[in-house]
Amino acid sequence: MRNRYLDLLRAAAIVRVIVYHLYGWPWLSIVLPAMGVMFALAGSLTAASLDKRAAGEVVTSRLRRLLPPLWLLGLVAVPVMLVTGWAQETDNAHPFSVPRLLFWLVPIGDPPGSDQALDAWEPLWYIRAYLWFVLLSPVLYALYRKAGWAAVALPLLIMAVLDVTGIGFPETADAALWDFVTYGACWIAGFAHHDGRLARVRPWIAAPIALALAAGAYYFLRDAGTYDLNDVSESQALWSLAFVLIALRWQPPMGWLPRVKPLDHAVTLVNNRAVTIYLWHNIAIAAVWPVLTFLALDDLGDRMGEAGDLLTALALTALAVLAFGWVEDLAAKRRPRLWPTSNAPRDRTHATTATAAPGTGTGTAGGTTARGGTQGGGRQGGSTQGAGAPGSGAGTTEPATTMLAVPGAESRAARISGTVSALAGRTLPRKQSAAAAMHRLPADWPPIPRDATTPEPAQQPAEATPQPASPPQAGPGQQTTPLPQADPGQQTAPPRPTAPEPRSGTAPETPGPAAADGPGDSGLPVAGRRADGGDPGARPTLPDGFGVSREARESGPEDATEWFSTRHRTD
């Protein structure tokens, strides 16, 4: 989820840049040091990306978002400058040079331009500084994680060395170095905002540090005789860092912003088109007076004239957003939008898992939502998978297969209706306590002995009266002994029938191991074997013929616990 406080700070900083470039009021750089705030926010977001992805992938992603809007500006501005005589200018500080045109592709130096188009290329120093910070971020972040706050102070120490020694470098390198020492502390302070180190600084420590930095900024401004921070790099660096330490440490509640719809939409629009607004706002400002002159609105007085200038500049910037802002969506691999007053929709995941009812032969329902909203024969919302095996009588419940769905492909009501339909008529498993599950006896315990010729008897219902035991068939080659006569009035078990004698010369037939689940298997008892159709909650009883041996038994055990508690002979 986006931090709307950071979005509000970024939007305010960009608007401040537009107002400053329009009116040139120096006190605006003190009220809100916009460039320092923007670099700090970018440093925080870059640190978050470095924690999640590899350094090379982060740098590539940042450059992919930064460079295409610049290329589009160059595609428009460079031909216009050439047509208006850039190549013929002799006293230009940035004369036309084919090799220097490469800075419009990879701005490691300031992209050049003509004197007449100064408003088009002069603000591009920010793009160059931003590029260098992105390239150095993996190293700076590693240094910050080892050195902590000392890494934040490093750019200020380098600035002090440059001031004391007066070391100079070639123009391109010198400009990049001074921008680094001016705003590098703010960029690295963004790292501290990301990992929470800045938030852990006590207010009684942060406030004196900010005041000390502000005092240093005032000292350099007094010597320079100006109150415009953009004219004094030392003051800009110190005051920007002091402002960032206080502004980013504070996290006010932002629940009010969504309730103010116009402001909320404006903040979202500015954040979604930040690069486009910065690149084109100065050209829009340069076009304000020609447009007002054409409309005969260039003489409205001081108050009305200033307001008219601002409204015209904002309107022309908005036209640039409509015309060129879509390239930011393409660079970020988003669907192009003309006026993004809401954040780009994210893919949502919908999955509904239903438990198959016993005997229905169905499995997972409503488990697959296809990208695009439909899949397989136009079924919208989901598809049924995992049908039960033939003859099994029950389906297999499988985890729902989840795919990303494009929002809007199906309505919310349709999704809720599909979920309710999938759950309707399902038999959910009955909940029971762990103690009850531990003390319940299986419905088929004790194990049932089976011989090779008698099929497995079915379990009797719980409420049925046990029938008198009947002797099972004897196994091949087994001899039986007549049972002794019981006393008068005593119930005796019927005699156990004998199996036919095998023919001479032949070995007794022994069931093979292949038939393990039906008549003719090994005859061994199968622990935990459960008869189909039994009631899990019924009290188990022994099948007919269980426990009958050569010796007569007066009565058979009535349940499993009695069978285990009495002495008995093995069959």
Side-chain angles (χ1 to χ4, degrees):
M1 184 177 180
R2 295 184 64 91
N3 188 326
R4 297 300 283 168
Y5 175 60
L6 300 186
D7 288 346
L8 183 62
L9 278 180
R10 185 183 294 105
I14 293 177
V15 172
R16 203 283 286 167
V17 169
I18 296 176
V19 175
Y20 174 83
H21 287 168
L22 177 63
Y23 299 121
W25 296 331
W27 52 268
L28 283 177
S29 62
I30 299 177
V31 172
L32 179 58
M35 306 314 296
V37 171
M38 293 171 64
F39 281 121
L41 296 178
S44 178
L45 296 178
T46 303
S49 299
L50 289 172
D51 281 342
K52 299 176 183 177
R53 295 177 291 172
E57 185 179 354
V58 172
V59 171
T60 302
S61 175
R62 294 288 170 181
L63 296 184
R64 189 189 69 240
R65 295 190 177 203
L66 177 69
L67 296 181
L70 174 66
W71 296 341
L72 183 58
L73 174 63
L75 189 63
V76 175
V78 171
V80 172
M81 289 188 294
L82 289 176
V83 171
T84 56
W86 179 24
Q88 286 74 36
E89 291 181 357
T90 57
D91 57 347
N92 185 7
H94 299 280
F96 175 76
S97 171
V98 174
R100 290 184 65 87
L101 286 178
L102 294 177
F103 289 156
W104 281 94
L105 299 178
V106 184
I108 57 175
D110 291 329
S114 65
D115 287 341
Q116 296 182 2
L118 181 65
D119 295 319
W121 56 266
E122 187 179 30
L124 299 183
W125 70 268
Y126 172 77
I127 305 298
R128 180 252 303 151
Y130 188 98
L131 174 67
W132 277 110
F133 279 125
V134 169
L135 294 177
L136 295 175
S137 283
V139 177
L140 293 176
Y141 191 49
L143 177 63
Y144 164 78
R145 297 181 69 174
K146 291 183 177 297
W149 288 110
V152 178
L154 178 62
L156 300 179
L157 294 178
I158 298 177
M159 176 181 285
V161 172
L162 293 177
D163 281 339
V164 171
T165 60
I167 300 176
F169 297 92
E171 179 183 3
T172 300
D174 191 70
L177 180 59
W178 272 98
D179 285 338
F180 172 78
V181 298
T182 302
Y183 299 105
C186 293
W187 185 277
I188 303 175
F191 298 166
H193 170 265
H194 162 68
D195 67 2
R197 192 187 300 255
L198 179 57
R200 292 191 295 269
V201 177
R202 300 296 182 183
W204 54 271
I205 296 178
I209 292 177
L211 289 176
L213 293 172
Y218 174 75
Y219 171 80
F220 286 102
L221 279 178
R222 186 192 60 180
D223 289 346
T226 180
Y227 290 97
D228 193 340
L229 296 178
N230 295 296
D231 296 335
V232 184
S233 297
E234 294 83 358
S235 297
Q236 180 75 273
L238 295 174
W239 175 242
S240 295
L241 179 59
F243 190 93
V244 164
L245 291 179
I246 300 301
L248 292 192
R249 189 191 174 279
W250 184 37
Q251 180 61 55
M254 297 300 296
W256 59 270
L257 184 59
R259 294 193 293 268
V260 186
K261 292 297 182 182
L263 180 60
D264 185 52
H265 291 168
V267 169
T268 303
L269 175 65
V270 172
N271 278 269
N272 286 330
R273 293 293 182 262
V275 179
T276 300
I277 293 173
Y278 183 84
L279 291 177
W280 291 91
H281 81 278
N282 223 36
I283 299 176
I285 291 174
V288 165
W289 293 277
V291 169
L292 292 179
T293 302
F294 177 77
L295 298 176
L297 297 175
D298 55 332
D299 191 12
L300 297 177
D302 293 339
R303 298 294 184 106
M304 292 294 295
E306 291 178 354
D309 294 345
L310 179 59
L311 292 177
T312 305
L314 295 178
L316 294 176
T317 304
L319 290 177
V321 168
L322 290 173
F324 309 109
W326 51 268
V327 73
E328 290 196 58
D329 291 327
L330 295 181
K333 297 182 179 181
R334 296 191 299 256
R335 177 176 56 85
R337 294 183 294 168
L338 290 179
W339 197 252
T341 56
S342 61
N343 290 322
R346 295 182 179 180
D347 293 336
R348 297 178 180 178
T349 303
H350 303 286
T352 304
T353 304
T355 304
T360 60
T362 58
T364 302
T368 303
T369 303
R371 184 182 296 273
T374 59
Q375 179 186 24
R379 291 176 299 171
Q380 185 172 0
S383 61
T384 304
Q385 297 181 350
S392 62
T396 302
T397 303
E398 299 177 354
T401 303
T402 302
M403 297 181 65
L404 295 178
V406 177
E410 55 178 355
S411 65
R412 183 171 181 269
R415 292 196 301 269
I416 295 176
S417 176
T419 303
V420 173
S421 299
L423 293 176
R426 303 294 183 185
T427 302
L428 299 179
R430 184 176 59 184
K431 294 183 179 180
Q432 60 180 356
S433 64
M438 293 172 61
H439 288 288
R440 281 183 57 186
L441 291 174
D444 54 7
W445 188 263
I448 304 169
R450 300 186 306 277
D451 54 27
T453 59
T454 304
E456 179 181 352
Q459 183 182 0
Q460 297 179 357
E463 60 273 4
T465 303
Q467 298 296 329
S470 61
Q473 296 293 334
Q478 181 180 0
Q479 300 293 333
T480 60
T481 304
L483 296 177
Q485 297 294 331
D487 295 336
Q490 181 180 4
Q491 183 181 358
T492 59
R496 187 172 184 178
T498 60
E501 294 288 338
R503 294 191 299 266
S504 60
T506 61
E509 296 180 0
T510 302
D517 290 330
D521 60 5
S522 60
L524 298 176
V526 181
R529 188 172 184 87
R530 187 180 298 254
D532 293 336
D535 185 5
R539 187 178 181 87
T541 57
L542 293 176
D544 295 341
F546 179 81
V548 179
S549 62
R550 290 189 179 95
E551 298 180 3
R553 296 176 58 91
E554 294 183 357
S555 62
E558 295 194 6
D559 56 24
T561 56
E562 182 182 352
W563 185 82
F564 277 111
S565 61
T566 58
R567 299 183 59 184
H568 59 277
R569 297 174 58 89
T570 57
D571 294 338

